[in-house]
Amino acid sequence: MKQGRRAIEVAKAVVLVTPVVLLLWMFNRYLALDGELTIEYDFNGESSYVSEFTPLGRAWDREENLRTGETYQRIVGEPVYMSVDVPWSFDEVEMTVEYQNRNQPFIQFGLVKTTDPWVVDLKPAEISAIDTALAEWDAVEEDGVTLLQKERSFETFGEFVTGFPEDASIGYYNYFPPHIYIDDTYEKQAEGTEINRLLRGPHSFATYVKDEPLKCEFTVTDINREEGEDPVSIGVVRDSTILHEELLNDDGVADASRDATGSRTMTIDIPELPEGMYTLVFHANNDIVIESIRCGQHKFVAISHLYLVNSEEYSDAFPEIDTSETILTFHGHKLSARTAHTEGIQTLFIDDQPLDVYAVDAPFWWEEGNASEYHELRVVKNDIQLDAPGFFAFEPEQAFNPLYGLRYVDETASANDFDYILVKEYTPPTKTTSYTYQSATFSLDGVEGDRKSLDFTIAAPGIARNQNELTIHNVSFTFTRDSLWERVKNKFSSDK
Amino acid sequence: MKTDIHKQIVFDLIPFTFRVLFIWYLVAVLLELLFHGLVSEVLSLDLFLWVVILLAVFSFGIEYYQRSQSK
């Protein structure tokens, strides 16, 4: 009997003490006294800290496998966003995702740092071209850069840099090789480049210089469609170094009056430059329209982006606007076209293949397997933004590939496209028979606001148009900062 | 004799656990309102409530049984 009473007392003590211990542990976790807070979300119901992936359409509603009881969310478009609200500010976060990948060759995880301007810190999650090369090719690592070779030709990375294989196809990711290609076939010509099509907003151009001055003249107009000042700068860049910068102040009209204030000219004139490719970075907002470009160089292409304006939509700013079609030479294997106005709804032709742009503010894609071909691109109505991992020339004679044998490893690349791949800061994901696991660490420095409301993203280019799919089963975030003890210590040491 | 001990343990412990957990449930809800995510990120408040309800049912059942036995 006495034993029974004793057992009851012990059991009651356990019932009383357990919640207290649990509460203390919960407070320790919540307050992150040890400097760490881990939040996990398995898509089973709602979470206090984590939202499911949005927007709907790109991400489906949460689902449950009724046989196994597993919960998950399906991703069919990109990018998708997940909001995480934490009670305190932290310094760093590690995002770990458990997922199943159905044929998506390129995935990145990201953290939105600022919304205006839109800045996202993207980290690689899964790149199948590099994964294949890492598994099957020879690898040499130096200073964090991994050189992958289909056939082992170089013993060290240093050998690769000194004996750079200019004729080889080289893929790069997170690392651009410090090599300047010299085109032995290039000869300067008396006749340079003249472009009289209207181009809106920021652009980058590439040109080639050999035994000649780099002389370019940009005529620009401020159309004042948006609020704010519209300064312009043109930077001359070689091997990631700005050699020269030309500036033009705002026209003095800062409001959205839609008054075009006339043409102004910016001139770049650099007499002597070493031979090679140079980039002209035209930095401006969408109120600035380039009316014409005149350049002494005869090789001249726009890099990755072109915003063609010659349309009735802009007749208020340019009453005598030429609305005839634009015929471009395009080098690349995929292209997106987007218009902001109903006047821009049209059908483009890429080597006579039609690309229908049938809605405003939506990208329409064209894609082809071969990355190294030139195409004729016919833009019938203009008023369109073209984006591509490639180059646009206004005349076939002006076209050249400023990257030469280099190609960025993107979702359309496969290991077979390359002889070498240069990669930095990439660890392939861990794969089991059922799931893939990948982590990415983000610094929270530079995140706007109080760093308690964070937006994470999964970018999977091409997932919708190739009808690929990701199913996300679990996402966990480990936030870290100094422990309470370290913060107290730092406080007192900094006060001294 | 042994069955009596077990019976006593159960009859004593279940109402006690119910009372303790009922109070802790109220505390947990209050804390969750004050510190969003403190409790709900660790344990399900819905599940907690169901446990309390279940204990309440057993507890009142035991009380009813004991009253009927003492008559």
Side-chain angles (χ1 to χ4, degrees):
Chain A
M1 202 63 197
K2 220 175 179 181
Q3 260 189 335
R5 272 205 203 104
R6 180 98 185 127
I8 291 169
E9 275 162 19
V10 170
K12 280 182 177 176
V14 170
V15 170
L16 278 172
V17 169
T18 308
V20 176
V21 172
L22 189 66
L23 187 69
L24 289 174
W25 177 76
M26 284 193 295
F27 262 112
N28 175 51
R29 181 184 174 279
Y30 182 81
L31 298 170
L33 298 178
D34 59 353
E36 196 174 296
L37 175 66
T38 300
I39 295 167
E40 209 172 317
Y41 185 50
D42 63 1
F43 301 93
N44 185 8
E46 310 243 318
S47 162
S48 310
Y49 294 142
V50 184
S51 76
E52 57 196 68
F53 284 108
T54 55
L56 270 176
R58 294 182 197 167
W60 288 17
D61 280 327
R62 290 193 310 263
E63 293 173 72
E64 183 176 356
N65 183 328
L66 294 174
R67 192 169 53 80
T68 61
E70 281 178 306
T71 47
Y72 55 86
Q73 196 175 10
R74 222 180 277 253
I75 309 294
V76 294
E78 69 97 39
V80 287
Y81 299 94
M82 175 175 261
S83 300
V84 179
D85 292 302
V86 282
W88 321 105
S89 306
F90 290 87
D91 298 330
E92 205 175 73
V93 58
E94 186 186 52
M95 177 189 187
T96 303
V97 183
E98 178 187 323
Y99 63 96
Q100 286 175 318
N101 181 1
R102 300 213 173 91
N103 305 323
Q104 176 59 27
F106 192 94
I107 305 165
Q108 290 175 307
F109 299 156
L111 168 68
V112 178
K113 291 222 157 174
T114 62
T115 50
D116 188 20
W118 187 254
V119 178
V120 181
D121 183 7
L122 283 170
K123 298 279 164 76
E126 188 171 351
I127 305 170
S128 64
I130 298 175
D131 292 345
T132 307
L134 279 167
E136 296 171 9
W137 294 8
D138 185 78
V140 178
E141 199 185 329
E142 207 170 295
D143 296 334
V145 182
T146 305
L147 165 66
L148 298 160
Q149 308 180 70
K150 197 181 266 176
E151 303 289 334
R152 191 183 179 101
S153 322
F154 301 97
E155 293 301 316
T156 63
F157 182 68
E159 265 183 39
F160 175 81
V161 173
T162 48
F164 197 84
E166 288 202 344
D167 297 332
S169 172
I170 302 165
Y172 65 94
Y173 184 84
N174 263 349
Y175 177 80
F176 196 81
H179 178 77
I180 292 162
Y181 280 88
I182 299 297
D183 185 354
D184 296 328
T185 61
Y186 180 89
E187 279 178 23
K188 66 176 177 183
Q189 288 180 8
E191 206 172 303
T193 299
E194 188 169 338
I195 297 166
N196 288 312
R197 297 269 99 179
L198 304 177
L199 306 174
R200 188 175 178 189
H203 283 80
S204 286
F205 304 97
T207 188
Y208 196 91
V209 175
K210 182 185 179 183
D211 303 330
E212 58 195 321
L214 171 60
K215 191 166 182 181
C216 286
E217 210 175 82
F218 288 75
T219 307
V220 300
T221 296
D222 189 341
I223 57 173
N224 292 306
R225 286 196 170 193
E226 288 162 23
E227 291 283 344
E229 296 193 339
D230 311 310
V232 187
S233 72
I234 304 173
V236 179
V237 180
R238 177 177 158 116
D239 195 19
S240 311
T241 308
I242 300 171
L243 305 176
H244 176 85
E245 196 168 32
E246 203 62 36
L247 303 170
L248 184 69
N249 290 332
D250 179 49
D251 62 349
V253 182
D255 56 358
S257 62
R258 294 177 78 100
D259 289 335
T261 48
S263 307
R264 292 183 293 163
T265 303
M266 299 174 78
T267 306
I268 288 163
D269 191 358
I270 308 173
E272 277 181 35
L273 284 171
E275 182 181 355
M277 189 274 288
Y278 291 83
T279 309
L280 304 174
V281 182
F282 183 86
H283 191 72
N285 60 31
N286 274 345
D287 270 359
I288 300 294
V289 172
I290 302 172
E291 284 187 76
S292 68
I293 304 170
R294 280 180 185 77
C295 221
Q297 281 57 44
H298 67 279
K299 292 290 179 194
F300 197 89
V301 291
I303 305 170
S304 306
H305 170 82
L306 207 57
Y307 192 162
L308 294 166
V309 162
N310 291 68
S311 153
E312 282 297 331
E313 163 65 28
Y314 295 90
S315 56
D316 56 337
F318 306 98
E320 290 174 17
I321 196 164
D322 172 9
T323 57
S324 62
E325 68 177 12
T326 304
I327 298 173
L328 301 163
T329 300
F330 166 60
H331 182 278
H333 56 286
K334 67 172 181 174
L335 171 84
S336 90
R338 175 197 288 259
T339 184
H341 311 109
T342 47
E343 286 81 355
I345 290 175
Q346 60 189 293
T347 301
L348 315 181
F349 294 93
I350 304 139
D351 293 336
D352 295 327
Q353 291 174 50
L355 170 63
D356 284 326
V357 178
Y358 55 81
V360 294
D361 286 329
F364 294 90
W365 287 90
W366 169 85
E367 196 172 322
E368 197 193 69
N370 197 335
S372 57
E373 273 186 13
Y374 285 94
H375 306 276
E376 185 192 79
L377 170 59
R378 202 146 60 84
V379 186
V380 180
K381 287 184 168 179
N382 302 306
D383 193 11
I384 207 146
Q385 293 179 62
L386 302 168
D387 288 281
F391 315 98
F392 304 92
F394 286 83
E395 297 292 341
E397 308 80 56
Q398 293 167 5
F400 78 113
N401 177 2
L403 283 180
Y404 298 91
L406 294 170
R407 185 184 157 191
Y408 176 69
V409 181
D410 63 7
E411 77 279 8
T412 58
S414 81
N416 289 332
D417 297 339
F418 305 110
D419 302 308
Y420 304 93
I421 295 177
L422 292 161
V423 57
K424 199 175 177 184
E425 292 162 9
Y426 175 67
T427 310
T430 308
K431 291 187 179 186
T432 64
T433 47
S434 308
Y435 300 112
T436 305
Y437 301 85
Q438 183 59 290
S439 297
T441 303
F442 301 96
S443 163
L444 297 178
D445 283 345
V447 173
E448 67 186 357
D450 58 7
R451 301 197 299 192
K452 292 181 193 169
S453 291
L454 303 163
D455 285 316
F456 292 87
T457 179
I458 293 183
I463 191 169
R465 66 176 188 277
N466 296 317
Q467 296 180 321
N468 298 335
E469 191 178 286
L470 296 174
T471 49
I472 313 293
H473 290 256
N474 191 297
V475 185
S476 81
F477 301 94
T478 304
F479 290 88
T480 47
R481 61 176 180 178
D482 286 345
S483 67
L484 179 67
W485 170 239
E486 279 164 334
R487 275 181 287 139
V488 169
K489 230 167 48 177
N490 290 343
K491 173 89 182 138
F492 281 105
S493 61
S494 63
D495 283 351
K496 272 179 191 173
Chain B
M1 193 66 187
K2 216 168 187 182
T3 322
D4 283 348
I5 293 169
H6 286 153
K7 206 166 144 184
Q8 197 189 344
I9 289 172
V10 170
F11 278 20
D12 209 358
L13 211 55
I14 287 183
F16 176 79
T17 311
F18 160 64
R19 285 194 295 275
V20 171
L21 288 193
F22 177 68
I23 291 163
W24 273 112
Y25 177 74
L26 297 178
V27 172
V29 169
L30 190 69
L31 286 173
E32 181 61 25
L33 285 173
L34 290 172
F35 308 103
H36 188 57
L38 170 76
V39 181
S40 62
E41 277 298 305
V42 177
L43 56 89
S44 161
L45 281 167
D46 289 350
L47 198 69
F48 195 172
L49 180 63
W50 276 113
V51 170
V52 172
I53 290 169
L54 214 64
L55 282 169
V57 169
F58 278 115
S59 204
F60 292 133
I62 288 163
E63 202 177 321
Y64 178 77
Y65 173 77
Q66 282 176 328
R67 273 189 197 165
S68 65
Q69 289 293 304
S70 62
K71 272 181 192 171

